Amino acid sequence: LSLYAFAELDYTEQAAGLIVGLVGGAGVMARIGWGIWASRLATMWRPLTLVALLVLGSIGLFWAAVSLGTPSLVAGIALFVVGATAISVLLSLALIESSASSRLGGDSGVVMRGLYAGYMAGPFIFGQTVELVGYSSAWAVMALLALTASVLAATGIRSLSLWDSRAPRKGL
C-alpha cells in the first residue's frame, strides 16, 4: 500500500511511511473493536460479510486512487484498516468456538501459520503481479482473490455450524 502510494501516486517516502504507521496503529484499535463486537453476536455471518464488503470496497478505492488521487486512497485505507485487520480476530474467535479444548493449541497454530504465510507471500505476489500487468490489473486480481476467500470462508463457517444461530456457542 505504501509502495503503491509512493510509486503510482507520487507520495514522498515520508508520507508513504506514515501510511504504514497509521494502518498499523489504527489496525490495533480496530482489532479490539471487532473482538468486542463479534464476541457478543450469536452468529459469525454479520462480521464476516461486513469484512468481505469492506475489503472489496477498499480494493476498489485503491484502484480508483490512480485517477481520483488522495481522497480515494484515504477512504480505501480507512476501509482496509476497519475491514482487513479484523480477519485475525474473527478467525481466532471462530477457532475458539469450533475447536475442542484439547486441540485448540494445534488448531490455532495451523490458522496462524496460514495467516503469516499470507502476510509473507502476499506482498511479494502482489509486487510480481504489478510487474507483470500493472497496478490496475493487480487490484482487480486482489478483488477476485478477496471475493474467492470470502466464499471459501463462508463455506467453511457453514460447515462448522458457526453461521447458524441455532448452533450452540461455546465459551465467551
Side-chain angles (χ1 to χ4, degrees):
L1 190 53
S2 60
L3 181 60
Y4 172 62
F6 175 75
E8 283 295 304
L9 305 176
D10 297 322
Y11 279 49
T12 66
E13 289 92 346
Q14 293 83 8
L18 182 61
I19 290 171
V20 174
L22 291 174
V23 166
V28 169
M29 300 309 294
R31 285 180 184 98
I32 292 168
W34 277 100
I36 291 168
W37 180 58
S39 68
R40 295 178 180 165
L41 299 176
T43 65
M44 292 294 287
W45 72 267
R46 281 190 185 125
L48 289 172
T49 301
L50 185 55
V51 164
L53 294 173
L54 289 169
V55 168
L56 289 171
S58 69
I59 292 169
L61 287 166
F62 296 150
W63 175 77
V66 172
S67 36
L68 300 177
T70 297
S72 181
L73 181 67
V74 169
I77 289 170
L79 289 183
F80 179 81
V81 165
V82 172
T85 60
I87 198 62
S88 61
V89 171
L90 297 178
L91 287 176
S92 295
L93 181 61
L95 187 68
I96 289 167
E97 293 184 358
S98 64
S99 291
S101 60
S102 62
R103 294 183 37 115
L104 192 53
D107 290 351
S108 67
V110 170
V111 169
M112 291 300 118
R113 183 177 52 213
L115 282 173
Y116 285 109
Y119 293 152
M120 290 185 315
F124 175 75
I125 293 169
F126 183 76
Q128 293 300 310
T129 306
V130 168
E131 285 290 319
L132 289 172
V133 298
Y135 274 103
S136 290
S137 296
W139 288 125
V141 168
M142 289 296 295
L144 181 61
L145 291 172
L147 186 59
T148 302
S150 298
V151 169
L152 291 173
T155 303
I157 293 299
R158 283 185 190 273
S159 71
L160 294 172
S161 299
L162 294 173
W163 198 279
D164 187 355
S165 62
R166 295 169 303 209
R169 287 182 57 126
K170 293 191 318 184
L172 304 175

